[in-house]
Amino acid sequence: MPTLGYALFATRWLQAPLYFGLVAAQGVYVYKFFNELWTLILRCVSGRASETYVMLAVLKLVDVVMIANLLIMVIVGGYETFVSRIGLQGHRDQPEWLSHVNSNVLKVKLATAIVGISSVHLLQMFVDVHHTSRHALLWGTVIHMAFIFSAAILAYMSGPMARRGERPHGPERTAAPAAAPAAGPVAVAAAEQPVPDPAAVRVPVAFPAQRQAADADPVEVTAGAEERIRDAGFPVRKQLEEFDESHPLGFDRETVARLGKADFVAARRNVVFTGPPGTGKTHLAVGLGLRACQAGHRVLFATAGEWAARLDAARAAGRLTEELTALDSCPLLIVDEVGYTPFDEAATALFFRLVAHRYERGSLIVTADRPADRWDEVFSGPSVPALVDRLGHHAETVRLEGDSYRTRRATSAWAG
């Protein structure tokens, strides 16, 4: 039976020639575009081009380009989804939508592209209305509205219905099981950390700015979010809505609310949380990581010490460059607990390699017990200023003030 299953799965390669045929069709549209453009230029130079003709000709060119864009989405996205992964990790021109492409996302994007093409065709009819019959205008409008209705239905089916299917129920909404560890030594220690007893966890108050931001522009939960969350290696599942806003003496709620939309991942920006132990830095980092997973991005979580151990093992094996390149498949890496363990010069150099490799290529979330201008107390060596500069260039820094939440709870329990 496994052999039969593998054989059936291998039949997906029968689709590969179809996509190469679409590549040839793309070439046909390139020829058609330049042929139309050359005709337009000749008529304009000879003075035989009326304003209506120029407008219709430009709309034809736009139409050709939009159909070519549709072909690209079908060729690249369809091949990636149904045949085989395309190794574009780390490529500077990798399209943003390809990092979280799936059949639902692809269908919605195709439907949107078809609506755009239909809009151009309908506009051509209205521009040339004197040469278009009322029958053609009527049916053109009806067909265009049918495309819009179909796209809306597809968007609904792949959005709210997907969220409904992946939303945890009952007690799992406030305290879900610990995520399964990711491959490699990074997540081993994370997997060993205990999950708090749900009965002992006080239900905190969601800060209003975050809730307003989520209502105004909710993060679309894409297919496979639970699998990405499991692979991320989070020590526990901490939602942004569960963050106790009453504990920190001060932090920028508006910035955290904006970061909760996960747009910083697509923009390849960094986030740095600084503050004393127990002020909620890890909670916020995990919450943003969960939002990124729900938005379709792969995430990997580990402490600074675990990252240093992973990179040191790769360096000892002579494959540090390959390891850094492999991490490009994760648009977001989370480095927790910077400052709790000092780094020698060799470990600092490895951490600098990670930050430098991710610079303008992927996002980092870093939690630290002190601001970046005091990182020379943690890291050592000549690369510290460059490390801070690259990490902070495209970064949002959120400073949390206050006493340890764990200490406060222990003190309250003792006083009681």
Side-chain angles (χ1 to χ4, degrees):
M1 292 302 294
T3 303
L4 177 60
Y6 288 140
L8 289 174
F9 183 61
T11 59
R12 72 191 189 280
W13 290 103
L14 292 174
Q15 295 189 49
L18 304 181
Y19 291 103
F20 286 106
L22 290 179
V23 172
Q26 183 90 345
V28 171
Y29 271 100
V30 171
Y31 169 78
K32 180 176 176 61
F33 177 88
F34 284 102
N35 186 48
E36 294 281 353
L37 180 61
W38 181 247
T39 303
L40 173 62
I41 293 174
L42 289 180
R43 295 194 63 166
C44 288
V45 170
S46 62
R48 294 183 292 113
S50 64
E51 183 178 352
T52 301
Y53 171 80
V54 172
M55 188 176 297
L56 288 173
V58 171
L59 287 175
K60 281 185 179 179
L61 295 178
V62 172
D63 189 25
V64 171
V65 171
M66 294 183 71
I67 295 176
N69 291 341
L70 178 63
L71 279 173
I72 283 292
M73 282 193 288
V74 173
I75 293 169
V76 180
Y79 187 91
E80 168 91 8
T81 303
F82 301 108
V83 180
S84 179
R85 289 194 176 276
I86 302 174
L88 293 179
Q89 291 80 8
H91 195 289
R92 62 182 302 173
D93 294 328
Q94 179 181 355
E96 183 273 333
W97 56 268
L98 188 60
S99 63
H100 52 270
V101 68
N102 55 63
S103 57
N104 282 333
V105 173
L106 189 59
K107 283 188 291 187
V108 173
K109 289 186 178 293
L110 292 179
T112 305
I114 290 172
V115 169
I117 294 170
S118 175
S119 301
V120 173
H121 277 281
L122 192 60
L123 181 58
Q124 285 178 306
M125 290 183 182
F126 281 112
V127 170
D128 198 24
V129 67
H130 298 295
H131 299 89
T132 306
S133 65
R134 296 179 62 182
H135 179 79
L137 279 175
L138 174 63
W139 281 106
T141 304
V142 170
I143 292 172
H144 179 65
M145 296 304 296
F147 283 142
I148 293 177
F149 181 74
S150 301
I153 292 296
L154 279 174
Y156 173 78
M157 292 175 63
S158 61
M161 290 183 67
R163 279 196 293 273
R164 213 173 283 132
E166 293 191 4
R167 186 179 299 158
H169 301 281
E172 294 181 359
R173 294 179 64 89
T174 56
V186 176
V188 173
E192 295 174 353
Q193 298 186 23
V195 180
D197 182 8
V201 178
R202 181 173 64 88
V203 179
V205 181
F207 45 95
Q210 177 63 46
R211 180 158 295 176
Q212 291 167 6
D215 292 341
D217 187 14
V219 175
E220 179 183 358
V221 179
T222 61
E226 286 300 319
E227 181 181 356
R228 287 188 292 271
I229 291 172
R230 289 194 299 269
D231 292 342
F234 297 120
V236 289
R237 184 177 297 199
K238 296 283 190 179
Q239 301 282 352
L240 285 181
E241 293 83 355
E242 299 170 358
F243 187 76
D244 185 359
E245 69 158 344
S246 64
H247 171 62
L249 296 179
F251 76 104
D252 192 343
R253 293 169 175 79
E254 295 299 327
T255 297
V256 175
R258 176 164 42 81
L259 293 172
K261 300 176 184 179
D263 294 338
F264 72 96
V265 181
R268 300 180 177 89
R269 296 183 62 85
N270 302 325
V271 179
V272 180
F273 291 109
T274 65
T279 50
K281 303 183 298 296
T282 300
H283 185 141
L284 293 176
V286 172
L288 292 182
L290 287 173
R291 289 286 183 91
C293 290
Q294 292 167 348
H297 304 291
R298 291 187 61 199
V299 179
L300 196 56
F301 178 101
T303 65
E306 291 165 352
W307 280 116
R310 176 170 184 161
L311 297 176
D312 184 61
R315 180 195 57 78
R319 51 181 305 275
L320 179 59
T321 301
E322 290 80 356
E323 180 72 11
L324 293 173
T325 302
L327 291 173
D328 289 339
S329 63
C330 293
L332 175 61
L333 303 181
I334 301 178
V335 182
D336 194 30
E337 298 181 353
V338 169
Y340 295 90
T341 303
F343 285 80
D344 57 22
E345 189 169 334
T348 299
L350 289 173
F351 197 74
F352 170 73
R353 284 286 302 274
L354 175 65
V355 173
H357 183 83
R358 302 285 296 182
Y359 180 68
E360 296 185 339
R361 183 179 299 177
S363 295
L364 288 167
I365 294 179
V366 177
T367 70
D369 67 344
R370 66 201 74 191
D373 58 7
R374 292 177 50 201
W375 280 12
D376 55 353
E377 302 170 5
V378 180
F379 299 99
S380 57
S383 59
V384 177
L387 185 156
V388 174
D389 178 69
R390 281 177 171 79
L391 181 65
H393 182 210
H394 301 298
E396 297 274 5
T397 300
V398 178
R399 173 72 179 173
L400 290 92
E401 303 285 351
D403 300 325
S404 171
Y405 181 71
R406 291 178 288 271
T407 302
R408 188 184 70 175
R409 291 189 64 190
T411 303
S412 300
W414 177 80

